[in-house]
Amino acid sequence: YKGLTYSSNVMAAKLIKDTGVRPVISLVRSLGISTPIENDLTIALGSNGVKLSEMVVAYGAFANGGYKVKPYSVLKVETSRGKILYEAPKARIMKAISTETASGITQMLKTVIKEGTGRGANINKPAAGKSGTTDDYKDAWFVGYTPSVVTGVWVGNDDNTKMGGLTGGTVPAIIFRDVMRQATEPFGNEDFGYPDMLATKSGGRTVSQLTSPNVSPTKYRDDTDETAPTEDVVHVNSYQPQMNE
């Protein structure tokens, strides 16, 4: 997970090489990304532009137990006399990824804010997210979430000129922090309600597996801890998917 924590492009490229490009594109499509995507390894480096609104939908699935919610901008339109001219239909909720995948991604993205490139986005409550920066510094973004709120921030110049070294972990992360402190206030310090996760070490790698919610939690230790036992349990509460309309 440290490659993701510290935005290692090498790690991302090697991972896509191992899994194959087509499965990655298929997964991205299921999460709601509709923009054109190259069928090669360069997608690990962000070679294609993506709509911020679609990134927020995708990250929402990570927060929501793998369920993707189709967003809408207008809830209702009324006349001055209260006659309803338009009302948004009920939100469409679709299963995009497994609960196990959503839980694992969330655990990794939490470390981005705790100790990685997204430290500037820390809102002092459970949150996960990821920073992004184009090589020419024309685009910088941060997308993150708590169990109830997802926010995406993009920073760039209207004329698409360079921003002089500005990265996603700086201004976008700070904007995210300031917005989310207010937006999440009604929800208190809620944590992600995912099942326990069992991390089994095998050949120096960690293989995550969901376990029974009845398993007693133990202190989490990462792969670099030589004193850690073969199996560690990451306790994160009993999971209930958010199905609110």
Side-chain angles (χ1 to χ4, degrees):
Y1 69 88
K2 288 191 174 180
L4 187 62
T5 302
Y6 299 107
S7 295
S8 169
N9 289 337
V10 174
M11 179 279 297
K14 287 183 176 180
L15 185 60
I16 290 183
K17 183 178 180 181
D18 289 342
T19 60
V21 174
R22 288 189 178 182
V24 173
I25 294 177
S26 177
L27 179 61
V28 166
R29 296 299 186 212
S30 70
L31 287 167
I33 305 298
S34 65
T35 49
I37 300 175
E38 297 294 335
N39 188 25
D40 55 46
L41 294 176
T42 63
I43 61 175
L45 309 178
S47 57
N48 297 105
V50 178
K51 297 176 182 177
L52 181 60
S53 60
E54 293 183 347
M55 288 292 288
V56 170
V57 170
Y59 274 62
F62 303 156
N64 204 32
Y67 289 89
K68 177 182 65 176
V69 180
K70 185 176 181 180
Y72 50 86
S73 301
V74 179
L75 177 61
K76 185 187 297 185
V77 177
E78 296 182 359
T79 66
S80 59
R81 300 190 177 203
K83 180 181 179 180
I84 298 176
L85 302 178
Y86 169 82
E87 189 169 6
K90 292 183 178 180
R92 293 179 57 191
I93 302 175
M94 298 153 281
K95 187 70 170 179
I97 55 177
S98 69
T99 301
E100 179 179 2
T101 299
S103 177
I105 291 175
T106 296
Q107 295 304 317
M108 291 188 288
L109 292 181
K110 287 173 77 172
T111 69
V112 174
I113 293 178
K114 288 180 179 179
E115 59 183 273
T117 57
R119 292 191 301 275
N122 194 340
I123 58 175
N124 296 318
K125 61 179 67 176
K130 187 70 184 71
S131 61
T133 311
T134 53
D135 290 341
D136 52 12
Y137 297 104
K138 292 181 179 180
D139 303 271
W141 57 269
F142 192 91
V143 181
Y145 55 95
T146 65
S148 296
V149 183
V150 187
T151 296
V153 178
W154 171 84
V155 175
N157 292 325
D158 290 340
D159 58 2
N160 201 32
T161 55
K162 296 180 180 180
M163 295 184 292
L166 189 148
T167 66
T170 56
V171 174
I174 293 171
I175 295 173
F176 171 89
R177 180 196 66 195
D178 292 346
V179 170
M180 288 291 276
R181 280 178 175 173
Q182 298 296 320
T184 62
E185 189 172 341
F187 305 103
N189 291 329
E190 61 178 352
D191 202 348
F192 296 94
Y194 287 120
D196 293 340
M197 178 170 289
L198 185 68
T200 305
K201 293 188 175 183
S202 174
R205 302 176 66 182
T206 298
V207 180
S208 298
Q209 179 181 352
L210 295 184
T211 66
S212 167
N214 297 322
V215 176
S216 299
T218 61
K219 183 179 180 181
Y220 175 72
R221 311 167 193 235
D222 63 44
D223 256 352
T224 63
D225 188 348
E226 296 180 356
T227 66
T230 302
E231 296 180 347
D232 299 318
V233 175
V234 184
H235 182 66
V236 288
N237 303 326
S238 298
Y239 170 69
Q240 292 292 332
Q242 301 297 316
M243 298 294 288
N244 296 332
E245 295 179 354

